[in-house]
C-alpha cells in the first residue's frame, strides 16, 4: 500500500469514526506535510517514522507557524499523530513495539512545546 492509499484509507477511517470535517482536514494536512517534507527525503513511510524524522518535522518552525498556528498547533499535531497511530494499528500496518513507540513519541506534548519555544528563540536570534 502506498502512502497515497494510506492517506485515503486514513481519511475514510476518520470519517467512519465520526471525526468532524475540520479535524479530518487538519489531521490529513499534518500527515501530508510529514510525508512530503520529511519522510519522502529520508525514504521512510508512515509505518517507519522514527524519532529523527519526527524531530525534523517539529523543527520546521516556519511551517508550524504558517500551517498550524504556531505553538498552539503543537498539541493538535500530536493529536493527529495519535489518531494516525490508532489507524495504523487497526489496519495492522504497525504492531506491538511500534505501537508503543509511536504512542510514547506522540504523547510527550511538553517536550515538543518546550522544543518549539527553544527553537523559536534560536531562530529569531539569527533573523
Amino acid at each position: 500500500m502506498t502512502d497515497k492509499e494510506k492517506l485515503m484509507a486514513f481519511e475514510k477511517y476518520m470519517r467512519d469514526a465520526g471525526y468532524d470535517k475540520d479535524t479530518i482536514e487538519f489531521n490529513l494536512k499534518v500527515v501530508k506535510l510529514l510525508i512530503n517534507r520529511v519522510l519522502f527525503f529520508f525514504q521512510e513511510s508512515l509505518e517507519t517514522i522514527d524519532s529523527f524524522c519526527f524531530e525534523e518535522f517539529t523543527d520546521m518552525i516556519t511551517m508550524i507557524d504558517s500551517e498550524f498556528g504556531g505553538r498552539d498547533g503543537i498539541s493538535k499535531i500530536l493529536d493527529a499523530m495519535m489518531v494516525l497511530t490508532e489507524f495504523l494499528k487497526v489496519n495492522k500496518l504497525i504492531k506491538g513495539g511500534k505501537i508503543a513507540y509511536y504512542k510514547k513519541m506522540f504523547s510527550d506534548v511538553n517536550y515538543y512545546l518546550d522544543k518549539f519555544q527553544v527553537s523559536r528563540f534560536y531562530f529569531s536570534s539569527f533573523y
Side-chain angles (χ1 to χ4, degrees):
M1 183 184 284
T2 67
D3 279 343
K4 186 174 182 175
E5 292 169 324
K6 290 174 205 155
L7 277 173
M8 291 187 320
F10 182 46
E11 182 175 7
K12 182 181 179 328
Y13 167 82
M14 289 187 289
R15 286 189 197 290
D16 292 348
Y19 286 90
D20 65 86
K21 182 182 176 187
D22 291 337
T23 302
I24 292 170
E25 288 176 7
F26 184 88
N27 290 356
L28 287 173
K29 184 180 192 178
V30 169
V31 175
K32 285 177 186 176
L33 286 171
L34 176 65
I35 291 168
N36 294 331
R37 297 205 179 170
V38 177
L39 298 179
F40 172 78
F41 293 104
F42 292 107
Q43 299 175 345
E44 298 290 343
S45 69
L46 294 174
E47 327 62 275
T48 60
I49 302 168
D50 60 15
S51 59
F52 179 77
C53 289
F54 197 66
E55 289 288 327
E56 286 293 314
F57 184 68
T58 58
D59 281 345
M60 298 178 172
I61 303 302
T62 305
M63 179 199 66
I64 291 172
D65 281 341
S66 65
E67 300 291 337
F68 304 118
R71 188 176 198 279
D72 294 337
I74 297 291
S75 61
K76 290 172 66 177
I77 290 169
L78 294 171
D79 289 343
M81 297 307 295
M82 290 298 270
V83 173
L84 175 68
T85 300
E86 194 61 29
F87 160 77
L88 295 170
K89 178 182 109 179
V90 166
N91 287 281
K92 296 179 176 36
L93 297 170
I94 58 173
K95 298 177 187 171
K98 192 61 130 173
I99 296 167
Y101 176 75
Y102 276 25
K103 285 184 176 184
K104 182 179 179 197
M105 183 167 52
F106 302 139
S107 66
D108 198 353
V109 177
N110 289 329
Y111 169 76
Y112 290 104
L113 287 172
D114 291 345
K115 179 179 175 260
F116 183 81
Q117 283 303 114
V118 169
S119 297
R120 175 172 273 224
F121 172 76
Y122 286 116
F123 182 75
S124 65
S125 295
F126 292 108
Y127 296 97

